[in-house]
Amino acid sequence: MAAKFNVPPKSLANLRPFELHIPENEVVEFKNLLKLSKIGPATWWNQQNNSQFGVSREWLIKAKETWLTSFDWRIHEEYVNKFPNFKIAVQDFEVGEIDIHFAALFSAKHDAIPIICMHGFPSSFADFLSMMDLLANKYTPETLPYHIIVPSLPDYGLSGTRTPNTEMTLERSARIMNQLMIDLGFGGGYIAQGGDLGSLLARIMSAEYETCKAFHLNMLVLDPGQASPSSDSLTPEEKHHLKRTEEWRPTGMAYALEHGTRPSTAGLAISSSPLALLAWIGEKLMEWTDPRKPFSLDHILGTVTLYWFTGTFSTSLYHATAAMRYLSNTPFPVSQEKPLGYSWFPYDLVVFPQAWAQEVYPNMVFYKSHSKGGHFACLEQVEEFLEDIEAFVEKVSDSFKKNVE
């Protein structure tokens, strides 16, 4: 696969092919540390198995045993390495030089549309690999209508960390992602896609950079201080899921407030032990999905292991500055002119009914509601997610190509 989808000749970047391989001594060290890590004492709260108070002690005991005995990190590495992976040094006037990793499927078509797909927390670029697999099986390099760029976001995963002399922010991260696309030769224009943190970056890119011509989101939120439109025209299903998210918010947002207000303490404490990291991230990966189709334990362990080996949990916490914006009523930038697409997945943390979206975003040209799926839509409902992306791109392709000429 990697040999077929080559870098387009117009790319301006000095790309370095990349292959994921954690040295064996680090794998051994991890297993030894995990073996020595203790499970906390039993309490009334951690013996409840209904997730009301977070992960249970029983789940953590079983997950640790699986992690030690049958989990195979090398299988996850092999899957990542099926795809073309690269690294590139991106220059930013505030952050300096930052090493950005991305997976990609480059098209041989001269009019292929560049799309940057951006993950959220607690996720990684690997969330999009199933979608890339579908595209690689559906198209050849000669017929692929898009360039698919899937980065590890700044200070996440394989993009690594910088000298910690500059705070990473939403605006800086968005600017670096825009520069990545320019460095890849897509300064004429691209489409931004994202959920969670990626959705906020796509919003900022749509508002701040002419190079971002359109954007598709699978998480859409009201701005801080923005009043909710009328609920009179909502469907019973929309009302049900709005009620569910309202009930989740008082307790489910606690993690974001801790990340946003005490990132030093949270980062140091949670990254100090594999079990601490597993409990913290595992809770989100279980709670934020459609309960009818939960993630496998192997997927959860793979995600947490990537965070552990890359040491990027502490640096990833800038995602939670979004929560601080809500406390200060600071709005998120977003274009009201560039074409917007939105895919509704009912078990996301926040949902945005169609009537609201049409009222708030007159530039919305695509809206699709789904009956299944949650916060990690590109993994939970990969076929439907890809169909939405392709349908949105088809909607905007004429105007996109006209704008980049």
Side-chain angles (χ1 to χ4, degrees):
M1 184 182 295
K4 293 193 300 182
F5 291 87
N6 296 318
V7 179
K10 69 177 182 179
S11 175
L12 306 179
N14 182 20
L15 298 184
R16 310 188 308 276
F18 173 80
E19 185 171 287
L20 176 60
H21 180 77
I22 303 300
E24 186 61 26
N25 67 301
E26 292 186 28
V27 176
V28 172
E29 180 185 64
F30 161 73
K31 287 192 173 182
N32 288 336
L33 183 58
L34 177 60
K35 191 180 300 182
L36 293 171
S37 298
K38 292 184 177 181
I39 304 286
T43 66
W44 183 85
W45 298 287
N46 66 33
Q47 293 183 88
Q48 310 306 307
N49 289 311
N50 59 6
S51 77
Q52 180 182 356
F53 304 109
V55 298
S56 70
R57 188 170 185 268
E58 179 185 5
W59 180 84
L60 194 59
I61 290 172
K62 292 179 179 178
K64 177 184 177 181
E65 181 65 19
T66 300
W67 219 358
L68 281 170
T69 60
S70 59
F71 174 78
D72 189 344
W73 166 250
R74 298 303 183 197
I75 292 176
H76 291 260
E77 281 188 339
E78 288 173 8
Y79 186 61
V80 169
N81 292 330
K82 279 181 57 179
F83 302 88
N85 284 261
F86 305 92
K87 284 199 173 185
I88 173 178
V90 174
Q91 296 288 340
D92 181 79
F93 73 92
E94 287 184 309
V95 174
E97 183 176 285
I98 181 168
D99 215 28
I100 295 296
H101 158 268
F102 66 95
L105 295 180
F106 289 113
S107 173
K109 291 172 67 70
H110 75 280
D111 60 348
I113 295 177
I115 306 173
I116 180 171
C117 299
M118 296 176 287
H119 65 81
F121 173 89
S123 297
S124 75
F125 76 100
D127 281 11
F128 291 102
L129 296 185
S130 296
M131 182 192 77
M132 293 176 68
D133 223 350
L134 289 180
L135 285 167
N137 289 319
K138 182 176 181 180
Y139 298 105
T140 67
E142 291 70 33
T143 60
L144 180 66
Y146 331 104
H147 301 293
I148 303 294
I149 311 299
V150 178
S152 295
L153 293 178
D155 284 4
Y156 275 78
L158 299 172
S159 283
T161 57
R162 304 158 290 108
T163 302
N165 56 3
T166 305
E167 180 186 13
M168 186 58 68
T169 65
L170 298 176
E171 283 75 16
R172 287 168 179 164
S173 185
R175 187 170 65 231
I176 291 167
M177 291 294 91
N178 178 69
Q179 189 61 49
L180 168 66
M181 296 302 281
I182 292 173
D183 288 350
L184 291 176
F186 304 133
Y190 62 84
I191 292 173
Q193 196 290 320
D196 191 81
L197 172 59
S199 74
L200 299 178
L201 300 185
R203 287 175 57 129
I204 295 170
M205 291 158 77
S206 76
E208 299 295 333
Y209 304 107
E210 181 58 31
T211 41
C212 179
K213 302 297 184 181
F215 58 118
H216 175 276
L217 312 176
N218 56 285
M219 189 179 84
L220 193 58
V221 297
L222 288 169
D223 274 333
Q226 186 176 24
S228 300
S230 170
S231 297
D232 294 343
S233 60
L234 303 188
T235 68
E237 181 189 18
E238 288 173 332
K239 290 179 179 179
H240 167 74
H241 287 292
L242 279 173
K243 183 175 184 293
R244 180 184 55 79
T245 59
E246 288 298 322
E247 292 171 347
W248 171 84
R249 189 173 287 117
T251 57
M253 282 291 292
Y255 84 96
L257 296 176
E258 178 69 18
H259 288 186
T261 58
R262 296 292 187 270
S264 176
T265 304
L268 289 169
I270 295 165
S271 63
S272 65
S273 159
L275 286 183
L277 193 63
L278 174 58
W280 197 257
I281 291 180
E283 175 195 80
K284 283 72 177 170
L285 294 177
M286 289 189 288
E287 184 178 329
W288 297 355
T289 58
D290 187 328
R292 298 166 294 182
K293 191 180 179 182
F295 285 141
S296 68
L297 178 57
D298 186 74
H299 171 77
I300 293 172
L301 295 176
T303 299
V304 177
T305 305
L306 179 63
Y307 270 90
W308 180 264
F309 282 139
T310 57
T312 51
F313 176 82
S314 296
T315 57
S316 74
L317 300 185
Y318 69 91
H319 77 93
T321 55
M324 301 304 98
R325 277 186 142 139
Y326 273 94
L327 293 179
S328 62
N329 282 331
T330 304
F332 301 101
V334 62
S335 174
Q336 292 287 338
E337 293 80 34
K338 293 175 182 175
L340 163 65
Y342 173 55
S343 295
W344 152 300
F345 292 89
Y347 284 90
D348 203 348
L349 304 182
V350 291
V351 290
F352 212 79
Q354 185 169 6
W356 290 11
Q358 290 173 331
E359 179 178 335
V360 176
Y361 297 103
N363 56 327
M364 187 181 70
V365 300
F366 176 88
Y367 185 103
K368 181 67 177 293
S369 61
H370 295 269
S371 60
K372 299 177 182 178
H375 190 61
F376 308 97
C378 60
L379 265 176
E380 296 179 66
Q381 298 294 326
V382 58
E383 293 88 357
E384 292 80 358
F385 181 84
L386 178 56
E387 286 174 4
D388 284 7
I389 300 300
E390 295 203 278
F392 173 68
V393 173
E394 185 176 358
K395 280 266 188 183
V396 304
S397 61
D398 289 344
S399 62
F400 178 92
K401 291 175 181 178
K402 181 179 179 181
N403 287 334
V404 299
E405 288 176 354

